[in-house]
Amino acid sequence: LKNSYKFQTHQKLHQKCSFEACNFTAIPKVLKYHFEMKHVKYAGSGYKTVDIDGQKFTVLVGTSQEEVEQWREERKLRFPTKENIEKKLKEKEKLIETGGLEPKNEMNLRKRHSNKKKSLFDQNRANKAKKPKSDSLSVKNESTLLKKLLKNEIRQENSITLQIIRHIVNTIFLAQPTG
């Protein structure tokens, strides 16, 4: 009898979803989550780019059979088969040959994996060695907001500059003509 009363009290707190043709009912907190998930953020069909804690992901919303099949086919094309791995390696070699910089995400992955192999003691010792000694002549390398916002563009400009320098060196572009 007591549980029946609690259930009835709980049911009185339920509200109906405000979206047309939706019969979902729940308490306001759950209703807010339902509305965002079903009618706003992940509503519709096809692919949507979703921002989660600063990282962007492309997700498939909707569950029609043809959309799911299309998604599976795209995943199969990107699966790391021998051919795909070789293709990526060739692209990377071509990039390095032309003087381009390695993509940042690959650099971060390599850095992360190498840090996992080190013991906690070694990581701590390496971090202490990197810290500059505090004296009046040392200048802190502070990342300003502008640097953070423009870091991708700065990296791209540096890559282009390095490619230009490599071209000049390889072609002896500035050499004086003999004659």
Side-chain angles (χ1 to χ4, degrees):
L1 209 61
K2 188 176 181 182
N3 286 339
S4 173
Y5 175 73
K6 284 184 178 181
F7 181 70
Q8 288 174 352
T9 307
H10 172 79
Q11 286 289 94
K12 288 179 183 177
L13 296 174
H14 278 216
Q15 297 175 358
K16 186 180 178 301
C17 178
S18 61
F19 195 76
E20 278 183 43
C22 182
N23 296 323
F24 185 79
T25 61
I27 61 172
K29 184 177 182 181
V30 174
L31 193 60
K32 181 180 176 187
Y33 177 77
H34 158 81
F35 189 80
E36 189 173 299
M37 297 302 286
K38 294 292 182 183
H39 306 301
V40 180
K41 199 178 226 182
Y42 301 108
S45 63
Y47 291 96
K48 282 194 175 181
T49 303
V50 180
D51 188 353
I52 300 173
D53 295 335
Q55 287 188 312
K56 294 192 183 219
F57 299 95
T58 301
V59 294
L60 174 66
V61 292
T63 55
S64 73
Q65 191 61 33
E66 54 267 0
E67 286 177 341
V68 173
E69 287 299 320
Q70 178 188 2
W71 177 81
R72 284 183 179 157
E73 290 302 316
E74 288 177 15
R75 291 283 295 164
K76 286 178 184 177
L77 290 175
R78 292 190 312 252
F79 190 78
T81 60
K82 282 185 179 181
E83 294 84 26
N84 285 347
I85 292 171
E86 288 173 6
K87 191 165 116 179
K88 267 194 165 184
L89 287 173
K90 286 179 184 175
E91 288 173 2
K92 187 176 173 184
E93 286 173 4
K94 185 177 179 184
L95 179 71
I96 290 171
E97 283 176 11
T98 59
L101 295 176
E102 188 176 348
K104 188 177 179 190
N105 58 355
E106 286 185 26
M107 289 173 55
N108 287 343
L109 279 175
R110 194 169 49 238
K111 194 176 190 180
R112 240 184 276 148
H113 288 297
S114 66
N115 283 346
K116 284 181 182 177
K117 293 175 187 173
K118 293 180 183 178
S119 70
L120 198 57
F121 175 76
D122 290 337
Q123 288 179 20
N124 198 12
R125 190 171 57 184
N127 287 340
K128 284 183 180 177
K130 288 180 186 175
K131 290 182 183 175
K133 295 178 181 175
S134 59
D135 62 301
S136 59
L137 296 176
S138 69
V139 177
K140 289 184 179 179
N141 184 12
E142 294 180 18
S143 286
T144 62
L145 178 60
L146 182 61
K147 270 188 182 179
K148 288 178 183 177
L149 291 172
L150 296 175
K151 70 180 176 185
N152 290 335
E153 286 82 0
I154 291 170
R155 184 169 174 72
Q156 177 108 22
E157 287 292 322
N158 288 344
S159 178
I160 292 169
T161 304
L162 288 172
Q163 289 178 31
I164 291 169
I165 291 171
R166 173 177 256 158
H167 174 74
I168 290 171
V169 168
N170 287 342
T171 59
I172 312 172
F173 188 74
L174 299 175
Q176 295 289 332
T178 54

